[in-house]
Amino acid sequence: MKKNEEYDIEIVDNGVNFEGIAKKEGIIIFVDEAIIGEECKIQILKVNSSHAYGKIKQILADSNYRQEPVCEVFKRCGGCSCQHINYNFILNLKTKIVENSLRKQGVVYDKLSSCIGMGLPYYYRNKVQYPVRMDSNNNTKLGFYAKRSHEVIENVCCYIQDRIIDMVAKDIFSRIIALGFNGYDEISFSGDIRHIMIRRGYHTSEIMVVLVVNNKSLLNDNRFISLTNDLVKKNEKVKSVVLNLNENNTNEILGEKQKIIYGENYITDYIGDYKYYISSKSFFQVNTSQAEVLYNVLKEGLELNKKEILFDLYSGVGSIGIFLSDSVKEVYGIEIEEEAVKMANMNIKLNNVENAEYITGSVEDRLEEFKNRKIKPDVIVVDPPRKGLDDKSIEYIIEFKPRKIGYVSCNPATLARDLKSLSKMYDIKEIIPVDMFPQTSHCEVVCILELKEKLKNEFV
Ligand SMILES: C[S@@+](CC[C@H](N)C(=O)[O-])C[C@H]1O[C@@H](n2cnc3c(N)ncnc32)[C@H](O)[C@@H]1O
């Protein structure tokens, strides 16, 4: 097989990024935007020893699940990956991705539910980070990165963002251009503004604007004051405007230093009946209505009672622990980001929760403290980042021997790896994928584990 050769092939599967998968001459070929069951004429783009990449030249027989993408820049923009596939079929594919990850690790479980989708799988993102970039003609652009590149694709309407966020971003963009600011140039590291980040409360409509600037002197630039005055005058829901300084040559969006130029460094929003402070840097689920579904699925699976102690590990602003606080006796949470823990402790007060405590630090280091204080959890919830749990944390969790574990995961591969370790002591009762990120291949999963019957009465 060689580059540029053309083949007629059948797509036999879709991979974890929804890429089509075909086999030819013992080589696996990944084909962007091809759907299982389709026959395509493809052109080979690149060949490695065991696999190759191809692009569709012509669809010879298309899938019943193929549809016209709603967005006109879908093919170029890296924001979405599956607008060309029917949504119900996407939910099946997401369930299958989870099933395949579990099979690869040989994980045994009682039940895998179908992925829970959204009624309207668009306009859901409550936080958007728009790159502001200088192009080769020295024009400043606002948009999203193209697929596999940092070229900025401009678009009129993004179908997965909150509509108001999109409108506010475009308004801010035209104002910063009128004020004479320019976008960041990733080659020379020059320019004024790197990103516009906007958060908007799904239930409260409160808006936070973060302008990421590339130079310390910009923190005192009065043009930002006049921009903010105009913004606030036009939209009373703008509650917070923050300048963030990022002078580093990395892909990190936010830098350390911040200057609040209007309001506070937070807005509020609800999940269920609970109200949360959310700051510029703290993690908060980007799909609020599905977060509520996810937390309820978790609550139902854990079957909590008011005599129990719950650990909320990787707790962010305390959203899960606070959501579950009225079903248990005590909640203890650990989170590595100091600012998120500050928000979590403010959130406890905001909701009159008197039985929760959040501490700063890494789960692997700070679980020891709870052990020393002889606090023994009946139930542990973990919601780690994509890399999943580390061995030390798994050892602690197993030593605590909780009655149930709720594992919330954003990465089926690391979830399956960790379930394999935990399944020595726990039965995996139910696995429930929840679609938090429609139109993308990202997959969120809730998993309920129960201590094996024979271990329940064993003395620890
Ligand atoms: C997927 S978020 C979950 C947040 C929260 N449970 C929620 O639902 O909003 C993962 C969180 O883990 C935190 N984190 C990452 N590594 C950590 C570690 N080693 N120990 C404690 N927290 C960590 C991140 O800062 C982030 O807030």
Side-chain angles (χ1 to χ4, degrees), residues 283-285 295 312-320 334-337 340 361-364 383-385 387 390 410 444:
F283 178 95
F284 195 71
Q285 298 287 353
Y295 289 4
D312 174 11
L313 305 182
Y314 309 89
S315 48
V317 297
S319 41
I320 294 181
I334 306 179
E335 159 64 42
I336 205 161
E337 286 290 337
S362 70
V363 167
E364 52 277 27
D383 185 4
K387 68 178 183 191
D390 60 288
C410 54
E444 191 88 5

Side-chain angles (χ1 to χ4, degrees), residues 1-133:
M1 191 174 289
K2 291 201 189 81
K3 188 174 168 180
N4 291 330
E5 279 179 350
E6 292 188 6
Y7 296 101
D8 292 351
I9 45 123
E10 189 192 339
I11 303 298
V12 293
D13 207 351
N14 281 102
V16 288
N17 296 312
F18 290 157
E19 68 282 23
I21 297 176
K23 284 183 188 146
K24 185 102 189 158
E25 300 166 4
I27 288 188
I28 293 172
I29 312 172
F30 298 108
V31 187
D32 252 5
E33 285 176 39
I35 306 173
I36 182 169
E38 289 188 326
E39 284 169 33
C40 309
K41 182 179 281 304
I42 61 158
Q43 182 181 22
I44 300 296
L45 299 172
K46 190 175 171 191
V47 188
N48 293 336
S49 54
S50 62
H51 62 276
Y53 298 90
K55 71 168 183 189
I56 299 177
K57 292 287 283 184
Q58 189 189 352
I59 299 175
L60 305 170
D62 67 357
S63 164
N64 288 341
Y65 301 111
R66 182 171 284 279
Q67 65 181 25
E68 203 48 48
V70 286
C71 178
E72 62 185 38
V73 296
F74 167 71
K75 278 193 173 297
R76 292 183 294 133
C77 180
C80 299
S81 54
C82 48
Q83 281 193 16
H84 62 301
I85 309 176
N86 165 284
Y87 186 56
N88 283 331
F89 192 59
I90 288 173
L91 296 177
N92 289 346
L93 288 175
K94 289 197 177 185
T95 312
K96 217 174 91 190
I97 287 170
V98 177
E99 191 179 6
N100 287 343
S101 303
L102 297 165
R103 188 179 320 109
K104 269 190 206 149
Q105 291 285 351
V107 174
V108 178
Y109 51 88
D110 288 0
K111 184 178 169 197
L112 167 63
S113 304
S114 300
C115 187
I116 304 174
M118 290 185 85
L120 176 69
Y122 296 103
Y123 308 125
Y124 60 86
R125 282 193 66 101
N126 60 28
K127 171 187 161 186
V128 187
Q129 306 179 117
Y130 299 85
V132 184
R133 290 289 177 274

Side-chain angles (χ1 to χ4, degrees), residues 135 142 158 167 219 283 292 299 327-328 352 354 439:
D135 70 9
L142 174 86
C158 174
M167 290 181 211
L219 292 178
F283 178 95
E292 197 168 323
K299 184 172 180 175
S327 308
V328 293
N352 298 319
E354 288 176 351
Q439 315 308 331

